[in-house]
Amino acid sequence: MLDAFANLAGGFAVALQWQNLLFALLGAMMGTFIGVLPGLGPLTTVAILLPVTFYLEPVSSMIMLAGIYYGAQYGGSTTAILANLPGEATSVVTCIDGYQMARQGRAGSALAIAALGSCFAGIVATLVIAVAAPPLTRFAMLFGAPEYFSLMVLGLVAAIVLAQGSILRALAMVVLGLLIATIGSDPQTGLARVTFGVPQISDGISFVPVAMGLFAVPELLKNIVWPEEKVALDARVNRLWPTYEEFRLAWPAVVRGTALGSILGILPGGGALLSSFAAYAVEKKIARDPAKFGNGAVQGVAAPEAANNAGAQTSFIPLLTLGLPGNAVMAVMAGALIMKGIQPGPNVITAMPELFWGLIASMVVGNAMLLVINLPMIGLWVKLINVPYRLLYPSILVFCCLGTYMVGNSVVDIWMLLVFSALGCVLQLLKFEPAPLALSFVLGIMMEENFRRALQVSRGDFMIFINHPISAVLLASAVALLLVVILPGIKQKRKEAFQE
Amino acid sequence: MSEHHGRKGASWLSLSVDLVAGIFLFLAGVAGLIATWSLPTGTVARMGAGFWPQAVSLLLCMFGVGIAALSFTRKGELFELPPLRPYAAVFGAMVLFGLLFERIGMIPTVIVTMLVAGLASIETRWVQLSILAVVLAILSAVAFVRLLGLPLPVFWWR
Amino acid sequence: MGYRSFNRRSILQSAMAVVLAAAGAIHAGSAMAQDFPSRAVRIVVPYQAGGSSDLVVRTIADPLSKELGVPVEVDNRPGGGGVVGAQAVIGSPADGYTVFFGLNSLAINTVKQNPPYDVQKDFMPVIQIGENPQVLYVSGKTPASNGAEFLAWAKENKGKLNFASQGVAAPTHIAMVRLSSGNDLDIEPVVYKGSADNIRAIIAGEAHIGMDTFGTLKPFAESGEIKLIAYTTVDDNPLYPDLQNLEEAGLQLLDNRAWYGFFAPAGTPEDAVTKLNAGVNKVLQENEAARDALAKIGATVVGGTPEKFKSFVDGQVDIYRKVIADAGLVIE
């Protein structure tokens, strides 16, 4: 323990050097601004700004890239709150209550809670890395294909909890999401499935057009076609800061979210995503008035934001301790290190302690900077969403299109945006909720991959899911959670039936 | 509800929302089955590429039937078609963006897209919107192509 | 009621705005028949930014732009196992300003059941940049350190071993299938999404055997998490002094290596191809950073003429066609 603190102190010495402070600030700023643009999530942002770091020293460039990463993570939440536009998968959950808060004139409050929660989570998660990186890595190693599959199943059940309306409809959305997730190539044979001969979707449909089509565009149209609610909202004064009551409710949610995010973020692949909506589901289940969820419950913003920022930090762990990137953003960071002549590998901590500890310390600094950058901006954002809607919505639409195009430099993504906007509008008219669909879409891809992979490992033996203890526990939890979610609904219906 | 845009949406056939929802799900499942019909299904032990999508499609059909059936047991809202113009404008704008972006470049496309999108709302003030469109187009070009160095076409000759 | 039908004036206003914006931008001068190169050259990389191939290209792009006197941009178009990027290049004008960074997948995709393109018809090789052999590896805990021990161990555990694969159409997958059948080992594939996933799976014990490039594997071998068994060529390679080659290891496996280079769309004028070739050759010979980057991933610099590359690629297509047919693999 003492060792860790000594090293951390050394790390701060590196992080607080003026040039590293500058790079952290620059990175966080650039990441935030670009991440705010719909469609440009952390991955695209980091990839775009990668060349900027070519001329820097390794430690400095890592600090800057890390800043860009969590800056962009935060930027994605901004659009989720202001315009129901999830920048990437992890922001979908923020849309649910964050956007409702904005509609109620509490946008400033939502943005502030998101910023504060993210900062807290980021710093705590960083300390977690400092203290527990190696044991956490070993924990992550225990997760193989069967464990991932079971975790995703649990995640899917949690996705159902997210829905406000009928469970039946939420389940239907989950199933639809799973179906859409099959578009792309078969994970094993690479055989193209339902790709209509379009190679750009042979790797599956990218999440950005799906998210924008399901969330942003229908919302845009809804505000145009039924503007009465908007008129009432514009008249409300937009608060810039949370109330005492909101703080009181939010901070325990932040702590819980941080815990979940820190642990799940280590799991390479979908860990960080799962953590944001697992956090939401937990909050909804333990809240005193769950009816508020979906209508601007502040915990619904605080917990997922904390969770996804904590997850973003701990997702560095596999890269730093093993040298193996846990997700696409980490892979780009690994590439940046390789360019500098550093092979990310198991030796990085011991061979280049100033890199590891300097990076960690700068994460603390960077998260604090995010707060410094973003809190004053809240006033600006609030002014921005009060721009007359007749001017705002074409701008939002154009940025959606631009962001979507830039994902793969291809108009195919625009056609995807069209298709999913159509789907999103249909769902809206039929009173379905998009969140469970979006989540099951993302999870579905990983689920099938891991399901088939597990069967490859076991050479066709289904028992592998039960024989592996972690997997068995996860599956059992999923079943239990499902029952907890469905039974009250059934009980309610029986009560109603009896009363009649 | 839609007085703003004149005539009420067509509530022909007096279909309840739930019923239409169920039908939609059923059709989606059928679409899934059709799309993956040709893929090998395999057996539960050795799943082919088609097994999972086909199973999920079937499940979806069942949900569709279930929800549609439930719609008859209670009084739900009636399904109404919304007015056409805003949807046409927004979708039209996106289609134009897709068709034009690589052909005439970012600045003209952004302008055209914003103007077409403007058709969606009756409150659009064209002068304001046109100015905003030009400004945003130029700002985007500067931000993405100049500052970030992305290889995006700005006009039709570059 | 309903929409105030928008009047002629507002249509005119919008139209004017568009025309003004367009006219306001003065035509800067299109690329007439001027000497190549007279404007930016674009290299399409069919992988995500930051990947190891991308990095190799970027180290070359910078000095290349100095050689050619025009900016050289890198355009990442990931997807479809390289198909998306390839098709982007095939569809672009064959004027020398679009170049494709191609790898083995170009040859493999050509011999699929339903080929998305034909490298021999749709592309013109410009220059081969480098090549490197693959390296066979196992987990650090495996009781085998060289070819002989590996074979013994594999035969002892016949039927229980898996190999980590990057997909049916990946060159390493094809090689592993051959390894399994050629040495009678009965190893089954487990498909993952990339090198990092493969390595992690082998360290964790979910898969047992893998194949990848030396550069990627080096840090893990150094720390002992994995053990390198042999590299997949029959000749001695000075970059890997401590490893056995195929002959020494006694493994029945065809010589196979990862190669990459620049391609132009078919029909590109010879003048452009020659100039590009000369520029890249110069960079490969003289630029320290580029040579360094290649050495770091364990690659040998190749360079050479377009004709040499063309015959090499033709050979690769034939080899893959034969190998895939022999192995009974069906790749769609």
Side-chain angles (χ1 to χ4, degrees), chain B residues 5 86 111 119-120 122 126-127 155, chain C residues 3-4 6 10 13 17-18 21 25:
Chain B
H5 303 281
I111 295 175
L119 292 171
I122 58 173
W126 292 101
V127 179
F155 287 105
Chain C
Y3 284 101
R4 182 178 67 223
F6 56 104
S10 56
Q13 280 180 338
V18 176

Side-chain angles (χ1 to χ4, degrees), chain A residues 17-326:
Chain A
Q17 286 171 3
W18 73 268
Q19 71 264 36
N20 288 333
L21 275 178
L22 183 65
F23 292 132
L25 181 64
L26 265 170
M29 270 179 67
M30 288 198 288
T32 312
F33 284 123
I34 299 185
V36 166
L37 295 167
L40 290 183
L43 175 59
T44 332
T45 314
V46 172
I48 291 174
L49 292 174
L50 183 65
V52 176
T53 64
F54 282 172
Y55 306 105
L56 302 176
E57 284 189 22
V59 183
S60 305
S61 72
M62 282 302 279
I63 288 179
M64 188 158 175
L65 283 173
I68 296 173
Y69 179 36
Y70 42 77
Q73 189 84 36
Y74 183 66
S77 320
T78 306
T79 52
I81 293 173
L82 295 178
N84 207 43
L85 255 178
E88 3 65 63
T90 50
S91 314
V92 166
V93 183
T94 312
C95 283
I96 305 178
D97 275 90
Y99 181 64
Q100 292 306 317
M101 281 179 76
R103 301 197 95 218
Q104 293 164 11
R106 297 153 66 204
S109 181
L111 289 170
I113 298 264
L116 292 165
S118 295
C119 180
F120 174 85
I123 295 183
V124 168
T126 307
L127 293 175
V128 165
I129 303 179
V131 168
L136 283 173
T137 315
R138 281 198 292 277
F139 168 70
M141 281 299 218
L142 294 173
F143 272 73
E147 287 77 17
Y148 269 100
F149 172 73
S150 306
L151 185 63
M152 309 268 151
V153 170
L154 183 57
L156 271 190
V157 175
I160 300 175
V161 174
L162 259 57
Q164 284 106 268
S166 115
I167 304 281
L168 187 60
R169 276 160 168 267
L171 276 171
M173 285 295 100
V174 165
V175 174
L176 183 58
L178 289 178
L179 181 60
I180 300 179
T182 61
I183 298 180
S185 15
D186 180 63
Q188 315 274 261
T189 63
L191 185 61
R193 277 195 305 210
V194 200
T195 56
F196 307 108
V198 180
Q200 278 86 347
I201 54 177
S202 65
D203 284 333
I205 304 176
S206 103
F207 181 75
V208 170
V210 171
M212 305 228 229
L214 290 179
F215 289 87
V217 176
E219 191 56 37
L220 205 108
L221 278 165
K222 178 168 132 191
N223 287 329
I224 296 175
V225 175
W226 295 286
E228 291 76 21
E229 297 167 44
K230 258 243 135 221
V231 169
L233 285 174
D234 288 340
R236 242 182 256 245
V237 172
N238 268 298
R239 209 162 47 233
L240 290 182
W241 197 249
T243 62
Y244 176 72
E245 179 65 19
E246 286 170 337
F247 264 120
R248 195 183 63 85
L249 283 171
W251 80 261
V254 166
V255 172
R256 289 187 285 260
T258 307
L260 262 174
S262 304
I263 299 181
L264 289 175
I266 304 168
L267 301 174
L273 166 67
L274 267 174
S275 62
S276 71
F277 63 91
Y280 186 91
V282 164
E283 290 306 312
K284 191 168 176 188
K285 275 288 138 194
I286 68 178
R288 231 167 261 179
D289 45 354
K292 280 211 97 196
F293 279 78
N295 291 312
V298 74
Q299 303 99 301
V301 175
E305 280 302 307
N308 77 32
N309 212 37
Q313 306 292 152
T314 53
S315 67
F316 273 87
I317 290 185
L319 180 65
L320 295 174
T321 56
L322 279 181
L324 292 170

Side-chain angles (χ1 to χ4, degrees), chain A residues 311-353:
Chain A
Q313 306 292 152
T314 53
S315 67
F316 273 87
I317 290 185
L319 180 65
L320 295 174
T321 56
L322 279 181
L324 292 170
N327 57 42
V329 179
M330 292 301 130
V332 176
M333 306 260 191
L337 279 178
I338 296 178
M339 279 242 70
K340 304 259 169 257
I342 300 176
Q343 281 284 22
N347 296 328
V348 161
I349 303 186
T350 44
M352 290 198 71

Side-chain angles (χ1 to χ4, degrees), chain B residues 39-123:
Chain B
L39 295 172
T41 309
T43 62
V44 179
R46 259 193 179 270
M47 294 189 189
F51 189 92
W52 181 246
Q54 286 157 3
V56 171
S57 304
L58 265 174
L59 199 55
L60 203 56
C61 287
M62 296 195 316
F63 269 100
V65 167
I67 291 183
L70 278 179
S71 79
F72 291 116
T73 63
R74 54 182 186 161
K75 251 188 158 79
E77 299 168 37
L78 287 183
F79 178 71
E80 286 192 23
L81 275 180
L84 187 58
R85 180 170 136 168
Y87 288 87
V90 169
F91 280 85
M94 290 194 279
V95 168
L96 278 177
F97 187 95
L99 290 173
L100 294 176
F101 189 83
E102 284 182 344
R103 295 210 180 94
I104 64 174
M106 186 190 289
I107 291 186
T109 308
V110 166
I111 295 175
V112 168
T113 308
M114 283 188 74
L115 291 175
V116 173
L119 292 171
S121 167
I122 58 173
E123 300 181 18

